[in-house]
Amino acid sequence: MIAKRWVRALVGGVIAVGALAGCEVPPPPEAAPGPTAPVRAPSAPRPVRPSQPEPPAQPERQPCPEGGVRLREAGGDAAMGLRLASLALVNCGTEPYVLEGYPELRVLDKQGAPVEVSLGTGTNGVTTQVAGVEAAPRKMTLRPGAEATFSMVWRNTVTDVTVPAVEGWELEVLPRPGAPRLRLRLSQPVDLGNTGRLGYGPWIERDAR
């Protein structure tokens, strides 16, 4: 009896081992991936500051010339060859400036050389009476910041094709006797053609603008 039990136990063990040997063993798990770079959370957007507007450019301030006054162009007109232009004298100094009568005037070319032209007060035979050019001269005192003007009249006419036309691009003005002479480069020429004649009026006071 004991021998039979021992044989049964042995056979059962063999069968169990065989059963275990016939079972498939699951493969080992794959190796875990290596360490990767940490993923950073997106940073919060920075607040956008409104751009500050640039300050407006300040116009360049011209120094006041010796004598306390400066010249500037003050407009003009042209019709059928007849020209009318005005110049202004601005008191840019700190003291009153006295004017009386007419300025002394010279017309210069692009190189600064005098232009050959007959200058005279009033219309100087250029045309009939023109307001401002034929005004009566008078004495005036310009306070600082005030200005006075004088007007010029001429014709852009070619009467002789053999005579070259003349253009003045700069004016030299003596505001009053003994004062420093002033020069002004013009944006438009004094286009005299070959008439060779220009008239101009006295100083007329007006407020600076």
Side-chain angles (χ1 to χ4, degrees), residues 150-187:
F150 74 91
S151 297
M152 304 177 296
V153 63
W154 70 93
R155 285 191 181 277
N156 176 25
T157 305
V158 176
T159 57
D160 187 347
V161 294
T162 64
V163 179
V166 173
E167 286 187 346
W169 282 93
E170 194 170 5
L171 293 176
E172 184 180 85
V173 177
L174 181 68
R176 64 185 185 187
R181 292 181 179 272
L182 301 172
R183 281 193 177 190
L184 179 66
R185 191 77 173 180
L186 303 174
S187 60

PDB file of all heavy atoms in Angstrom, residues 150-187:
ATOM      1  N   PHE A 150       7.952 145.478 -47.215  1.00  0.00           N
ATOM      2  CA  PHE A 150       7.970 146.339 -48.399  1.00  0.00           C
ATOM      3  C   PHE A 150       7.711 145.446 -49.599  1.00  0.00           C
ATOM      4  O   PHE A 150       7.995 144.242 -49.588  1.00  0.00           O
ATOM      5  CB  PHE A 150       9.291 147.110 -48.530  1.00  0.00           C
ATOM      6  CG  PHE A 150      10.468 146.289 -48.985  1.00  0.00           C
ATOM      7  CD1 PHE A 150      10.791 146.167 -50.335  1.00  0.00           C
ATOM      8  CD2 PHE A 150      11.265 145.629 -48.058  1.00  0.00           C
ATOM      9  CE1 PHE A 150      11.868 145.412 -50.751  1.00  0.00           C
ATOM     10  CE2 PHE A 150      12.352 144.876 -48.467  1.00  0.00           C
ATOM     11  CZ  PHE A 150      12.657 144.768 -49.812  1.00  0.00           C
ATOM     12  N   SER A 151       7.148 146.020 -50.652  1.00  0.00           N
ATOM     13  CA  SER A 151       6.753 145.258 -51.839  1.00  0.00           C
ATOM     14  C   SER A 151       7.585 145.665 -53.036  1.00  0.00           C
ATOM     15  O   SER A 151       8.037 146.819 -53.148  1.00  0.00           O
ATOM     16  CB  SER A 151       5.265 145.479 -52.141  1.00  0.00           C
ATOM     17  OG  SER A 151       4.470 144.999 -51.079  1.00  0.00           O
ATOM     18  N   MET A 152       7.772 144.711 -53.949  1.00  0.00           N
ATOM     19  CA  MET A 152       8.507 144.953 -55.191  1.00  0.00           C
ATOM     20  C   MET A 152       7.618 144.588 -56.375  1.00  0.00           C
ATOM     21  O   MET A 152       6.770 143.695 -56.276  1.00  0.00           O
ATOM     22  CB  MET A 152       9.773 144.079 -55.237  1.00  0.00           C
ATOM     23  CG  MET A 152      10.702 144.248 -54.056  1.00  0.00           C
ATOM     24  SD  MET A 152      12.135 143.099 -54.137  1.00  0.00           S
ATOM     25  CE  MET A 152      11.302 141.501 -54.009  1.00  0.00           C
ATOM     26  N   VAL A 153       7.821 145.267 -57.488  1.00  0.00           N
ATOM     27  CA  VAL A 153       7.065 144.978 -58.698  1.00  0.00           C
ATOM     28  C   VAL A 153       8.023 144.973 -59.887  1.00  0.00           C
ATOM     29  O   VAL A 153       8.940 145.794 -59.968  1.00  0.00           O
ATOM     30  CB  VAL A 153       5.920 146.004 -58.897  1.00  0.00           C
ATOM     31  CG1 VAL A 153       6.445 147.418 -59.085  1.00  0.00           C
ATOM     32  CG2 VAL A 153       5.009 145.588 -60.044  1.00  0.00           C
ATOM     33  N   TRP A 154       7.832 144.025 -60.814  1.00  0.00           N
ATOM     34  CA  TRP A 154       8.640 143.942 -62.017  1.00  0.00           C
ATOM     35  C   TRP A 154       7.873 143.137 -63.060  1.00  0.00           C
ATOM     36  O   TRP A 154       6.827 142.567 -62.779  1.00  0.00           O
ATOM     37  CB  TRP A 154      10.008 143.304 -61.735  1.00  0.00           C
ATOM     38  CG  TRP A 154       9.976 141.843 -61.418  1.00  0.00           C
ATOM     39  CD1 TRP A 154      10.128 140.786 -62.278  1.00  0.00           C
ATOM     40  CD2 TRP A 154       9.760 141.241 -60.138  1.00  0.00           C
ATOM     41  NE1 TRP A 154      10.021 139.583 -61.631  1.00  0.00           N
ATOM     42  CE2 TRP A 154       9.811 139.840 -60.305  1.00  0.00           C
ATOM     43  CE3 TRP A 154       9.526 141.743 -58.852  1.00  0.00           C
ATOM     44  CZ2 TRP A 154       9.628 138.938 -59.260  1.00  0.00           C
ATOM     45  CZ3 TRP A 154       9.359 140.859 -57.805  1.00  0.00           C
ATOM     46  CH2 TRP A 154       9.409 139.481 -58.013  1.00  0.00           C
ATOM     47  N   ARG A 155       8.427 143.068 -64.253  1.00  0.00           N
ATOM     48  CA  ARG A 155       7.813 142.273 -65.315  1.00  0.00           C
ATOM     49  C   ARG A 155       8.779 141.193 -65.786  1.00  0.00           C
ATOM     50  O   ARG A 155       9.975 141.429 -65.931  1.00  0.00           O
ATOM     51  CB  ARG A 155       7.425 143.162 -66.509  1.00  0.00           C
ATOM     52  CG  ARG A 155       6.188 143.993 -66.261  1.00  0.00           C
ATOM     53  CD  ARG A 155       5.695 144.636 -67.552  1.00  0.00           C
ATOM     54  NE  ARG A 155       4.516 145.459 -67.314  1.00  0.00           N
ATOM     55  CZ  ARG A 155       3.281 144.997 -67.241  1.00  0.00           C
ATOM     56  NH1 ARG A 155       3.045 143.694 -67.420  1.00  0.00           N
ATOM     57  NH2 ARG A 155       2.267 145.819 -67.028  1.00  0.00           N
ATOM     58  N   ASN A 156       8.212 140.016 -66.036  1.00  0.00           N
ATOM     59  CA  ASN A 156       8.982 138.934 -66.653  1.00  0.00           C
ATOM     60  C   ASN A 156       8.683 138.977 -68.146  1.00  0.00           C
ATOM     61  O   ASN A 156       7.838 138.243 -68.658  1.00  0.00           O
ATOM     62  CB  ASN A 156       8.585 137.590 -66.042  1.00  0.00           C
ATOM     63  CG  ASN A 156       9.289 136.430 -66.722  1.00  0.00           C
ATOM     64  OD1 ASN A 156      10.358 136.591 -67.286  1.00  0.00           O
ATOM     65  ND2 ASN A 156       8.668 135.263 -66.689  1.00  0.00           N
ATOM     66  N   THR A 157       9.370 139.843 -68.833  1.00  0.00           N
ATOM     67  CA  THR A 157       9.110 140.069 -70.248  1.00  0.00           C
ATOM     68  C   THR A 157      10.422 140.060 -71.015  1.00  0.00           C
ATOM     69  O   THR A 157      11.415 140.650 -70.564  1.00  0.00           O
ATOM     70  CB  THR A 157       8.401 141.415 -70.473  1.00  0.00           C
ATOM     71  OG1 THR A 157       7.217 141.461 -69.668  1.00  0.00           O
ATOM     72  CG2 THR A 157       8.031 141.608 -71.935  1.00  0.00           C
ATOM     73  N   VAL A 158      10.418 139.418 -72.163  1.00  0.00           N
ATOM     74  CA  VAL A 158      11.577 139.420 -73.053  1.00  0.00           C
ATOM     75  C   VAL A 158      11.243 140.322 -74.229  1.00  0.00           C
ATOM     76  O   VAL A 158      10.372 140.009 -75.047  1.00  0.00           O
ATOM     77  CB  VAL A 158      11.928 138.000 -73.531  1.00  0.00           C
ATOM     78  CG1 VAL A 158      13.071 138.040 -74.545  1.00  0.00           C
ATOM     79  CG2 VAL A 158      12.284 137.119 -72.350  1.00  0.00           C
ATOM     80  N   THR A 159      11.903 141.453 -74.275  1.00  0.00           N
ATOM     81  CA  THR A 159      11.635 142.434 -75.338  1.00  0.00           C
ATOM     82  C   THR A 159      12.681 142.385 -76.447  1.00  0.00           C
ATOM     83  O   THR A 159      12.473 142.942 -77.517  1.00  0.00           O
ATOM     84  CB  THR A 159      11.611 143.852 -74.747  1.00  0.00           C
ATOM     85  OG1 THR A 159      12.862 144.109 -74.097  1.00  0.00           O
ATOM     86  CG2 THR A 159      10.475 143.995 -73.750  1.00  0.00           C
ATOM     87  N   ASP A 160      13.798 141.705 -76.157  1.00  0.00           N
ATOM     88  CA  ASP A 160      14.878 141.628 -77.141  1.00  0.00           C
ATOM     89  C   ASP A 160      15.521 140.244 -77.011  1.00  0.00           C
ATOM     90  O   ASP A 160      16.166 139.941 -76.003  1.00  0.00           O
ATOM     91  CB  ASP A 160      15.908 142.731 -76.887  1.00  0.00           C
ATOM     92  CG  ASP A 160      16.961 142.811 -77.992  1.00  0.00           C
ATOM     93  OD1 ASP A 160      17.051 141.866 -78.811  1.00  0.00           O
ATOM     94  OD2 ASP A 160      17.707 143.810 -78.013  1.00  0.00           O
ATOM     95  N   VAL A 161      15.359 139.418 -78.045  1.00  0.00           N
ATOM     96  CA  VAL A 161      15.864 138.046 -77.968  1.00  0.00           C
ATOM     97  C   VAL A 161      17.385 138.001 -77.990  1.00  0.00           C
ATOM     98  O   VAL A 161      17.985 136.958 -77.687  1.00  0.00           O
ATOM     99  CB  VAL A 161      15.296 137.205 -79.127  1.00  0.00           C
ATOM    100  CG1 VAL A 161      13.791 137.048 -78.991  1.00  0.00           C
ATOM    101  CG2 VAL A 161      15.662 137.814 -80.481  1.00  0.00           C
ATOM    102  N   THR A 162      18.011 139.091 -78.329  1.00  0.00           N
ATOM    103  CA  THR A 162      19.475 139.111 -78.349  1.00  0.00           C
ATOM    104  C   THR A 162      20.059 139.435 -76.972  1.00  0.00           C
ATOM    105  O   THR A 162      21.274 139.343 -76.788  1.00  0.00           O
ATOM    106  CB  THR A 162      19.982 140.147 -79.367  1.00  0.00           C
ATOM    107  OG1 THR A 162      19.583 141.468 -78.959  1.00  0.00           O
ATOM    108  CG2 THR A 162      19.425 139.868 -80.759  1.00  0.00           C
ATOM    109  N   VAL A 163      19.198 139.818 -76.038  1.00  0.00           N
ATOM    110  CA  VAL A 163      19.655 140.166 -74.695  1.00  0.00           C
ATOM    111  C   VAL A 163      19.274 139.035 -73.741  1.00  0.00           C
ATOM    112  O   VAL A 163      18.093 138.665 -73.667  1.00  0.00           O
ATOM    113  CB  VAL A 163      19.019 141.492 -74.214  1.00  0.00           C
ATOM    114  CG1 VAL A 163      19.485 141.819 -72.795  1.00  0.00           C
ATOM    115  CG2 VAL A 163      19.379 142.617 -75.176  1.00  0.00           C
ATOM    116  N   PRO A 164      20.230 138.447 -72.999  1.00  0.00           N
ATOM    117  CA  PRO A 164      19.902 137.330 -72.095  1.00  0.00           C
ATOM    118  C   PRO A 164      18.925 137.759 -71.000  1.00  0.00           C
ATOM    119  O   PRO A 164      18.984 138.894 -70.509  1.00  0.00           O
ATOM    120  CB  PRO A 164      21.265 136.957 -71.491  1.00  0.00           C
ATOM    121  CG  PRO A 164      22.283 137.511 -72.442  1.00  0.00           C
ATOM    122  CD  PRO A 164      21.668 138.744 -73.020  1.00  0.00           C
ATOM    123  N   ALA A 165      18.028 136.839 -70.669  1.00  0.00           N
ATOM    124  CA  ALA A 165      17.103 137.096 -69.558  1.00  0.00           C
ATOM    125  C   ALA A 165      17.872 137.058 -68.245  1.00  0.00           C
ATOM    126  O   ALA A 165      18.866 136.352 -68.095  1.00  0.00           O
ATOM    127  CB  ALA A 165      15.990 136.056 -69.551  1.00  0.00           C
ATOM    128  N   VAL A 166      17.396 137.844 -67.270  1.00  0.00           N
ATOM    129  CA  VAL A 166      18.089 138.002 -65.991  1.00  0.00           C
ATOM    130  C   VAL A 166      17.215 137.455 -64.867  1.00  0.00           C
ATOM    131  O   VAL A 166      15.996 137.664 -64.851  1.00  0.00           O
ATOM    132  CB  VAL A 166      18.415 139.496 -65.735  1.00  0.00           C
ATOM    133  CG1 VAL A 166      18.979 139.692 -64.341  1.00  0.00           C
ATOM    134  CG2 VAL A 166      19.395 140.009 -66.781  1.00  0.00           C
ATOM    135  N   GLU A 167      17.867 136.755 -63.926  1.00  0.00           N
ATOM    136  CA  GLU A 167      17.175 136.272 -62.737  1.00  0.00           C
ATOM    137  C   GLU A 167      17.982 136.639 -61.494  1.00  0.00           C
ATOM    138  O   GLU A 167      19.195 136.453 -61.456  1.00  0.00           O
ATOM    139  CB  GLU A 167      17.005 134.742 -62.778  1.00  0.00           C
ATOM    140  CG  GLU A 167      15.950 134.258 -63.746  1.00  0.00           C
ATOM    141  CD  GLU A 167      15.699 132.766 -63.623  1.00  0.00           C
ATOM    142  OE1 GLU A 167      16.529 132.073 -62.979  1.00  0.00           O
ATOM    143  OE2 GLU A 167      14.679 132.291 -64.151  1.00  0.00           O
ATOM    144  N   GLY A 168      17.263 137.151 -60.485  1.00  0.00           N
ATOM    145  CA  GLY A 168      17.889 137.395 -59.197  1.00  0.00           C
ATOM    146  C   GLY A 168      17.421 136.347 -58.192  1.00  0.00           C
ATOM    147  O   GLY A 168      16.216 136.097 -58.062  1.00  0.00           O
ATOM    148  N   TRP A 169      18.371 135.719 -57.475  1.00  0.00           N
ATOM    149  CA  TRP A 169      18.042 134.662 -56.518  1.00  0.00           C
ATOM    150  C   TRP A 169      18.327 135.056 -55.075  1.00  0.00           C
ATOM    151  O   TRP A 169      18.071 134.282 -54.160  1.00  0.00           O
ATOM    152  CB  TRP A 169      18.804 133.384 -56.858  1.00  0.00           C
ATOM    153  CG  TRP A 169      18.194 132.634 -57.998  1.00  0.00           C
ATOM    154  CD1 TRP A 169      18.517 132.739 -59.311  1.00  0.00           C
ATOM    155  CD2 TRP A 169      17.126 131.690 -57.917  1.00  0.00           C
ATOM    156  NE1 TRP A 169      17.724 131.907 -60.071  1.00  0.00           N
ATOM    157  CE2 TRP A 169      16.864 131.247 -59.237  1.00  0.00           C
ATOM    158  CE3 TRP A 169      16.365 131.176 -56.873  1.00  0.00           C
ATOM    159  CZ2 TRP A 169      15.870 130.320 -59.532  1.00  0.00           C
ATOM    160  CZ3 TRP A 169      15.382 130.239 -57.157  1.00  0.00           C
ATOM    161  CH2 TRP A 169      15.140 129.821 -58.474  1.00  0.00           C
ATOM    162  N   GLU A 170      18.822 136.243 -54.894  1.00  0.00           N
ATOM    163  CA  GLU A 170      19.142 136.701 -53.540  1.00  0.00           C
ATOM    164  C   GLU A 170      18.946 138.211 -53.486  1.00  0.00           C
ATOM    165  O   GLU A 170      19.188 138.918 -54.464  1.00  0.00           O
ATOM    166  CB  GLU A 170      20.591 136.333 -53.196  1.00  0.00           C
ATOM    167  CG  GLU A 170      20.934 136.461 -51.730  1.00  0.00           C
ATOM    168  CD  GLU A 170      22.304 135.860 -51.426  1.00  0.00           C
ATOM    169  OE1 GLU A 170      23.006 135.446 -52.363  1.00  0.00           O
ATOM    170  OE2 GLU A 170      22.671 135.813 -50.229  1.00  0.00           O
ATOM    171  N   LEU A 171      18.491 138.673 -52.333  1.00  0.00           N
ATOM    172  CA  LEU A 171      18.311 140.107 -52.137  1.00  0.00           C
ATOM    173  C   LEU A 171      19.178 140.568 -50.974  1.00  0.00           C
ATOM    174  O   LEU A 171      19.281 139.889 -49.943  1.00  0.00           O
ATOM    175  CB  LEU A 171      16.849 140.443 -51.844  1.00  0.00           C
ATOM    176  CG  LEU A 171      15.857 140.217 -52.988  1.00  0.00           C
ATOM    177  CD1 LEU A 171      14.435 140.492 -52.522  1.00  0.00           C
ATOM    178  CD2 LEU A 171      16.192 141.084 -54.195  1.00  0.00           C
ATOM    179  N   GLU A 172      19.791 141.713 -51.168  1.00  0.00           N
ATOM    180  CA  GLU A 172      20.555 142.353 -50.094  1.00  0.00           C
ATOM    181  C   GLU A 172      19.823 143.638 -49.719  1.00  0.00           C
ATOM    182  O   GLU A 172      19.545 144.475 -50.581  1.00  0.00           O
ATOM    183  CB  GLU A 172      21.975 142.668 -50.553  1.00  0.00           C
ATOM    184  CG  GLU A 172      22.843 143.254 -49.456  1.00  0.00           C
ATOM    185  CD  GLU A 172      24.244 143.548 -49.943  1.00  0.00           C
ATOM    186  OE1 GLU A 172      24.446 144.657 -50.507  1.00  0.00           O
ATOM    187  OE2 GLU A 172      25.122 142.689 -49.779  1.00  0.00           O
ATOM    188  N   VAL A 173      19.500 143.756 -48.448  1.00  0.00           N
ATOM    189  CA  VAL A 173      18.652 144.859 -47.992  1.00  0.00           C
ATOM    190  C   VAL A 173      19.348 145.610 -46.861  1.00  0.00           C
ATOM    191  O   VAL A 173      19.846 144.991 -45.905  1.00  0.00           O
ATOM    192  CB  VAL A 173      17.280 144.337 -47.507  1.00  0.00           C
ATOM    193  CG1 VAL A 173      16.431 145.476 -46.965  1.00  0.00           C
ATOM    194  CG2 VAL A 173      16.545 143.635 -48.651  1.00  0.00           C
ATOM    195  N   LEU A 174      19.365 146.925 -46.975  1.00  0.00           N
ATOM    196  CA  LEU A 174      19.797 147.798 -45.881  1.00  0.00           C
ATOM    197  C   LEU A 174      18.525 148.402 -45.279  1.00  0.00           C
ATOM    198  O   LEU A 174      17.887 149.260 -45.909  1.00  0.00           O
ATOM    199  CB  LEU A 174      20.724 148.898 -46.397  1.00  0.00           C
ATOM    200  CG  LEU A 174      21.268 149.865 -45.342  1.00  0.00           C
ATOM    201  CD1 LEU A 174      22.232 149.158 -44.399  1.00  0.00           C
ATOM    202  CD2 LEU A 174      21.961 151.058 -46.018  1.00  0.00           C
ATOM    203  N   PRO A 175      18.109 147.935 -44.083  1.00  0.00           N
ATOM    204  CA  PRO A 175      16.814 148.392 -43.549  1.00  0.00           C
ATOM    205  C   PRO A 175      16.758 149.891 -43.275  1.00  0.00           C
ATOM    206  O   PRO A 175      15.733 150.534 -43.501  1.00  0.00           O
ATOM    207  CB  PRO A 175      16.664 147.595 -42.250  1.00  0.00           C
ATOM    208  CG  PRO A 175      17.593 146.432 -42.377  1.00  0.00           C
ATOM    209  CD  PRO A 175      18.731 146.930 -43.203  1.00  0.00           C
ATOM    210  N   ARG A 176      17.858 150.444 -42.775  1.00  0.00           N
ATOM    211  CA  ARG A 176      17.926 151.866 -42.447  1.00  0.00           C
ATOM    212  C   ARG A 176      19.393 152.275 -42.483  1.00  0.00           C
ATOM    213  O   ARG A 176      20.289 151.424 -42.379  1.00  0.00           O
ATOM    214  CB  ARG A 176      17.323 152.136 -41.064  1.00  0.00           C
ATOM    215  CG  ARG A 176      18.079 151.482 -39.929  1.00  0.00           C
ATOM    216  CD  ARG A 176      17.388 151.679 -38.587  1.00  0.00           C
ATOM    217  NE  ARG A 176      18.204 151.135 -37.490  1.00  0.00           N
ATOM    218  CZ  ARG A 176      17.800 151.045 -36.232  1.00  0.00           C
ATOM    219  NH1 ARG A 176      16.580 151.467 -35.894  1.00  0.00           N
ATOM    220  NH2 ARG A 176      18.606 150.545 -35.305  1.00  0.00           N
ATOM    221  N   PRO A 177      19.681 153.547 -42.641  1.00  0.00           N
ATOM    222  CA  PRO A 177      21.073 153.986 -42.708  1.00  0.00           C
ATOM    223  C   PRO A 177      21.854 153.577 -41.456  1.00  0.00           C
ATOM    224  O   PRO A 177      21.377 153.717 -40.337  1.00  0.00           O
ATOM    225  CB  PRO A 177      20.954 155.515 -42.811  1.00  0.00           C
ATOM    226  CG  PRO A 177      19.614 155.740 -43.431  1.00  0.00           C
ATOM    227  CD  PRO A 177      18.727 154.665 -42.878  1.00  0.00           C
ATOM    228  N   GLY A 178      23.051 153.048 -41.675  1.00  0.00           N
ATOM    229  CA  GLY A 178      23.911 152.663 -40.571  1.00  0.00           C
ATOM    230  C   GLY A 178      23.682 151.272 -40.019  1.00  0.00           C
ATOM    231  O   GLY A 178      24.466 150.793 -39.203  1.00  0.00           O
ATOM    232  N   ALA A 179      22.620 150.595 -40.459  1.00  0.00           N
ATOM    233  CA  ALA A 179      22.320 149.242 -39.961  1.00  0.00           C
ATOM    234  C   ALA A 179      23.113 148.196 -40.746  1.00  0.00           C
ATOM    235  O   ALA A 179      23.543 148.459 -41.871  1.00  0.00           O
ATOM    236  CB  ALA A 179      20.830 148.953 -40.079  1.00  0.00           C
ATOM    237  N   PRO A 180      23.319 147.008 -40.184  1.00  0.00           N
ATOM    238  CA  PRO A 180      23.971 145.933 -40.947  1.00  0.00           C
ATOM    239  C   PRO A 180      23.110 145.525 -42.143  1.00  0.00           C
ATOM    240  O   PRO A 180      21.886 145.512 -42.065  1.00  0.00           O
ATOM    241  CB  PRO A 180      24.081 144.787 -39.928  1.00  0.00           C
ATOM    242  CG  PRO A 180      23.963 145.429 -38.589  1.00  0.00           C
ATOM    243  CD  PRO A 180      23.051 146.603 -38.783  1.00  0.00           C
ATOM    244  N   ARG A 181      23.766 145.199 -43.241  1.00  0.00           N
ATOM    245  CA  ARG A 181      23.050 144.719 -44.419  1.00  0.00           C
ATOM    246  C   ARG A 181      22.587 143.279 -44.195  1.00  0.00           C
ATOM    247  O   ARG A 181      23.278 142.480 -43.569  1.00  0.00           O
ATOM    248  CB  ARG A 181      23.937 144.807 -45.659  1.00  0.00           C
ATOM    249  CG  ARG A 181      24.236 146.238 -46.077  1.00  0.00           C
ATOM    250  CD  ARG A 181      25.103 146.275 -47.324  1.00  0.00           C
ATOM    251  NE  ARG A 181      25.356 147.652 -47.725  1.00  0.00           N
ATOM    252  CZ  ARG A 181      24.573 148.357 -48.534  1.00  0.00           C
ATOM    253  NH1 ARG A 181      23.477 147.788 -49.049  1.00  0.00           N
ATOM    254  NH2 ARG A 181      24.859 149.606 -48.847  1.00  0.00           N
ATOM    255  N   LEU A 182      21.421 142.953 -44.722  1.00  0.00           N
ATOM    256  CA  LEU A 182      20.846 141.615 -44.581  1.00  0.00           C
ATOM    257  C   LEU A 182      20.712 140.988 -45.960  1.00  0.00           C
ATOM    258  O   LEU A 182      20.382 141.667 -46.941  1.00  0.00           O
ATOM    259  CB  LEU A 182      19.463 141.693 -43.920  1.00  0.00           C
ATOM    260  CG  LEU A 182      19.404 142.329 -42.535  1.00  0.00           C
ATOM    261  CD1 LEU A 182      17.944 142.514 -42.110  1.00  0.00           C
ATOM    262  CD2 LEU A 182      20.148 141.490 -41.523  1.00  0.00           C
ATOM    263  N   ARG A 183      20.945 139.667 -46.009  1.00  0.00           N
ATOM    264  CA  ARG A 183      20.771 138.929 -47.260  1.00  0.00           C
ATOM    265  C   ARG A 183      19.708 137.857 -47.069  1.00  0.00           C
ATOM    266  O   ARG A 183      19.619 137.241 -46.008  1.00  0.00           O
ATOM    267  CB  ARG A 183      22.084 138.281 -47.714  1.00  0.00           C
ATOM    268  CG  ARG A 183      23.040 139.246 -48.381  1.00  0.00           C
ATOM    269  CD  ARG A 183      24.147 138.479 -49.079  1.00  0.00           C
ATOM    270  NE  ARG A 183      25.054 139.356 -49.794  1.00  0.00           N
ATOM    271  CZ  ARG A 183      25.997 138.940 -50.641  1.00  0.00           C
ATOM    272  NH1 ARG A 183      26.135 137.632 -50.874  1.00  0.00           N
ATOM    273  NH2 ARG A 183      26.784 139.794 -51.252  1.00  0.00           N
ATOM    274  N   LEU A 184      18.943 137.635 -48.117  1.00  0.00           N
ATOM    275  CA  LEU A 184      17.899 136.608 -48.092  1.00  0.00           C
ATOM    276  C   LEU A 184      17.914 135.836 -49.400  1.00  0.00           C
ATOM    277  O   LEU A 184      17.789 136.414 -50.483  1.00  0.00           O
ATOM    278  CB  LEU A 184      16.523 137.251 -47.891  1.00  0.00           C
ATOM    279  CG  LEU A 184      15.332 136.277 -47.876  1.00  0.00           C
ATOM    280  CD1 LEU A 184      15.410 135.349 -46.666  1.00  0.00           C
ATOM    281  CD2 LEU A 184      14.012 137.030 -47.890  1.00  0.00           C
ATOM    282  N   ARG A 185      18.081 134.504 -49.288  1.00  0.00           N
ATOM    283  CA  ARG A 185      17.992 133.628 -50.452  1.00  0.00           C
ATOM    284  C   ARG A 185      16.518 133.401 -50.750  1.00  0.00           C
ATOM    285  O   ARG A 185      15.732 133.066 -49.856  1.00  0.00           O
ATOM    286  CB  ARG A 185      18.675 132.290 -50.157  1.00  0.00           C
ATOM    287  CG  ARG A 185      18.879 131.418 -51.372  1.00  0.00           C
ATOM    288  CD  ARG A 185      20.036 131.905 -52.205  1.00  0.00           C
ATOM    289  NE  ARG A 185      20.354 130.992 -53.305  1.00  0.00           N
ATOM    290  CZ  ARG A 185      21.320 131.206 -54.175  1.00  0.00           C
ATOM    291  NH1 ARG A 185      22.054 132.304 -54.072  1.00  0.00           N
ATOM    292  NH2 ARG A 185      21.559 130.357 -55.145  1.00  0.00           N
ATOM    293  N   LEU A 186      16.111 133.552 -52.010  1.00  0.00           N
ATOM    294  CA  LEU A 186      14.703 133.491 -52.394  1.00  0.00           C
ATOM    295  C   LEU A 186      14.311 132.077 -52.813  1.00  0.00           C
ATOM    296  O   LEU A 186      15.114 131.340 -53.387  1.00  0.00           O
ATOM    297  CB  LEU A 186      14.431 134.466 -53.543  1.00  0.00           C
ATOM    298  CG  LEU A 186      14.785 135.930 -53.269  1.00  0.00           C
ATOM    299  CD1 LEU A 186      14.606 136.756 -54.543  1.00  0.00           C
ATOM    300  CD2 LEU A 186      13.913 136.500 -52.157  1.00  0.00           C
ATOM    301  N   SER A 187      13.062 131.715 -52.537  1.00  0.00           N
ATOM    302  CA  SER A 187      12.539 130.433 -53.002  1.00  0.00           C
ATOM    303  C   SER A 187      12.113 130.510 -54.469  1.00  0.00           C
ATOM    304  O   SER A 187      12.079 129.499 -55.167  1.00  0.00           O
ATOM    305  CB  SER A 187      11.360 129.993 -52.133  1.00  0.00           C
ATOM    306  OG  SER A 187      10.313 130.958 -52.193  1.00  0.00           O
TER     307      SER A 187
END
